């Protein structure tokens, strides 16, 4: 089995591939205070809970947008028995052409998503990733990453409303009851979720004006399942896109 690990700002996603098949996805909280031993113990426990306790790993690959946690998870993966642990960063072959300023400063999650997208479709394509931040990565007809957009994430927007107003409550992203709410909670959820979906539709129509109607739009990220049902555009939903990309990068480097 190949273990793929995507460290995001909210959660660490660990996916196990047997061949092409993604057999499981574990989610752990991102916490910079946690040690390698604690993450290893948690991974071990979850692996056996899901029935993969005895499985041996061919290797593992990690991508991180939280620099402090990268060595911590690398060590945790060695501790649970991964004989080799690759890292998405300088020196790794991704096969992706980055036609942007400062390729090294680009989030490795965007790189993994782009590589994952190229497994699923022919470019041009755009990837919307709804996590802590909402990000867009655009791949031109040659498959090169040519541009990106970064917005406040859907949960961040709700958190900011609760923090910076006197009367608005703290809410988690959830299916909105209606486009227009009848109460404060519905109004906030409708605004956040339909607002994100309408932003997505609006950006897609602008990107289609550049790249043509054949542009493939892939939505991913932990919150994408809440946004996809409210979008009007034709989109592909792949919640584990970064893990697919990580597996492809692992294979390219082994
Ligand atoms: N099992 C799950 N499946 C999908 N989304 C989840 C799940 N558990 C939590 N989430 C939501 O996904 C969000 C994190 O999305 P994610 O894409 O992992 O963000 P990041 O990459 O920034 O860590 C959290 O706000 C959480 O509420
Ligand atoms: C934009 C991000 C914060 C998104 O992180 P996430 O929502 O996946 O936790 C991350 O990709 C990042 O820190 N990027 C570096 C800046 C850039 O890609 O231009
Ligand atoms: K994101």
């Amino acid at each position: 089995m190949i273990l793929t690990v995507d460290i995001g700002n909210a959660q660490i996603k660990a996916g196990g591939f047997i061949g092409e098949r993604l057999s499981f996805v574990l989610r752990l909280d991102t916490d910079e205070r946690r040690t390698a031993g604690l993450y290893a113990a948690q991974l071990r426990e979850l692996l056996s809970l899901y029935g993969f306790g005895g499985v041996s790993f061919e290797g593992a690959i990690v991508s991180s947008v939280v620099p402090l946690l990268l060595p911590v998870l690398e060590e945790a993966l060695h501790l649970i028995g991964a004989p080799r642990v690759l890292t998405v960063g300088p020196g790794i072959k991704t096969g992706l052409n980055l036609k942007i300023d400062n390729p090294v400063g680009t989030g490795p999650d965007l790189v993994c998503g782009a590589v994952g997208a190229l497994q699923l479709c022919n470019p041009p394509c755009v990837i919307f990733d709804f996590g802590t931040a909402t990000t867009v990565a655009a791949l031109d007809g040659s498959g090169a990453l040519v541009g990106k957009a970064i917005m406040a994430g859907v949960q961040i927007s709700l958190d900011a409303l609760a923090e910076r107003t006197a009367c608005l409550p703290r809410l988690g992203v959830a299916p909105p009851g209606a486009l227009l709410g009848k109460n404060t909670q519905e109004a906030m959820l409708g605004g956040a979720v339909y607002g994100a979906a309408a932003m997505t539709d609006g950006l897609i129509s602008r990107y289609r004006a550049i790249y043509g109607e054949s542009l493939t739009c892939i939505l991913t990220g932990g919150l994408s399942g809440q946004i996809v049902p409210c979008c009007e555009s034709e989109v592909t939903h792949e919640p584990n896109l970064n893990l697919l990309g990580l597996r492809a990068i692992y294979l390219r480097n082994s």
Side-chain angles (χ1 to χ4, degrees):
M1 177 181 293
I2 298 170
L3 199 52
T4 55
V5 179
D6 172 21
I7 306 176
N9 283 289
Q11 290 186 333
I12 298 167
K13 283 70 67 181
F17 284 90
I18 300 176
E20 274 187 18
R21 201 169 70 85
L22 181 57
S23 303
F24 61 81
V25 181
L26 312 173
R27 287 181 165 264
L28 313 176
D29 282 333
T30 298
D31 182 348
E32 286 174 322
R33 292 163 306 181
R34 228 173 270 182
T35 61
L38 275 175
Y39 273 121
Q42 210 176 14
L43 279 168
R44 263 267 157 266
E45 199 172 331
L46 288 173
L47 283 168
S48 65
L49 196 65
Y50 285 88
F52 293 92
V55 163
S56 66
F57 303 113
E58 173 192 328
I61 181 162
V62 197
S63 152
S64 181
V65 295
V66 183
L68 267 179
L69 280 180
L70 182 60
V72 174
L73 264 293
E74 286 169 340
E75 191 186 335
L77 290 166
H78 282 300
L79 282 171
I80 64 167
R84 71 195 273 263
V85 179
L86 304 180
T87 298
V88 180
I92 199 111
K93 291 181 284 210
T94 64
L96 188 70
N97 184 6
L98 294 160
K99 289 189 180 166
I100 48 175
D101 303 342
N102 189 16
V104 176
T106 286
D109 57 339
L110 298 179
V111 172
C112 294
V115 173
L118 291 172
Q119 310 291 303
L120 295 184
C121 72
N122 291 319
C125 67
V126 289
I127 303 126
F128 286 79
D129 185 337
F130 296 92
T132 304
T134 299
T135 60
V136 183
L139 307 185
D140 70 7
S142 76
L145 178 62
V146 289
K148 52 190 176 177
I150 302 174
M151 301 74 123
V154 186
Q155 185 63 57
I156 284 183
S157 305
L158 283 171
D159 291 345
L161 284 174
E163 267 160 37
R164 300 187 52 174
T165 62
C167 293
L168 296 182
R170 186 162 276 283
L171 293 179
V173 177
L179 186 58
L180 290 165
K182 298 281 187 201
N183 56 57
T184 305
Q185 176 161 339
E186 281 179 6
M188 289 172 68
L189 290 179
V193 176
Y194 279 107
M199 174 189 75
T200 304
D201 288 328
L203 288 174
I204 286 173
S205 78
R206 289 173 188 225
Y207 299 145
R208 290 210 159 121
I210 301 169
Y211 293 108
E213 288 304 311
S214 69
L215 180 76
T216 303
C217 303
I218 304 179
L219 272 55
T220 189
L223 299 172
S224 59
Q226 312 276 1
I227 309 303
V228 169
C230 299
C231 285
E232 290 176 344
S233 318
E234 194 189 310
V235 300
T236 302
H237 185 209
E238 175 44 73
N240 300 308
L241 190 68
N242 290 1
L243 302 180
L244 303 185
L246 278 166
R247 173 177 175 269
I249 296 170
Y250 180 90
L251 294 178
R252 187 176 270 273
N253 290 272
S254 53

